[in-house]
Amino acid sequence: AEAPAPAPGAGGDVVGRVIAAANEIATTPYVWGGGHGGASGGYDCSGSISYALAAGGLLSSPLDSTGFMSWGEPGPGQRITVYANSGHAFMVVDGRRFDTSALSGGGTRWTSASRSTAGFVARHPPGY
């Protein structure tokens, strides 16, 4: 389960930084509240997304899954989409899903397997 390769073109540097940061933590354990400040040894769903988006300059402070429900612009993005509800968040970057639920299946947060987005709000960073 490899991360997507940054595609050339608009936003490649930003998207590349998001992917690189996501890769840094892709195999770290799931820890509830992880990634929201303090040393935790792992990241939860929204903490891992917050970490990756912050590295791309798209987020200034961590958000929980509820916070992602109103973050950015509504609807799917062209390169990055965050799906969130009150209990979970995951993102899709250039067609690959970055999701803590993928850890059990392949040991990494990246997966090419899709999941239902029913019950989730789709949001994206402006321009991406």
Side-chain angles (χ1 to χ4, degrees), residues 29 59 82 106 109 111:
L59 189 65
V82 173
R109 286 170 165 79
T111 182

Side-chain angles (χ1 to χ4, degrees), residues 1 90 92 95-99 102 110-115:
F90 65 95
V92 175
R96 301 272 303 180
R97 182 166 53 99
F98 186 69
D99 189 345
W110 289 110
T111 182
S112 57
S114 61
R115 72 174 285 164

Side-chain angles (χ1 to χ4, degrees), residues 69 83-90 115-122:
M69 292 175 69
Y83 294 92
N85 63 28
S86 63
H88 187 60
F90 65 95
R115 72 174 285 164
S116 173
T117 57
F120 287 86
V121 174

Side-chain angles (χ1 to χ4, degrees), residues 30-34 36 43-50 63-65 68 87-90 98-101 109:
Y30 175 89
V31 174
W32 188 86
H36 293 276
Y43 293 81
D44 68 8
C45 60
S46 56
S48 60
I49 294 168
S50 293
L63 295 174
D64 62 14
S65 59
F68 275 116
H88 187 60
F90 65 95
F98 186 69
D99 189 345
T100 54
S101 70
R109 286 170 165 79

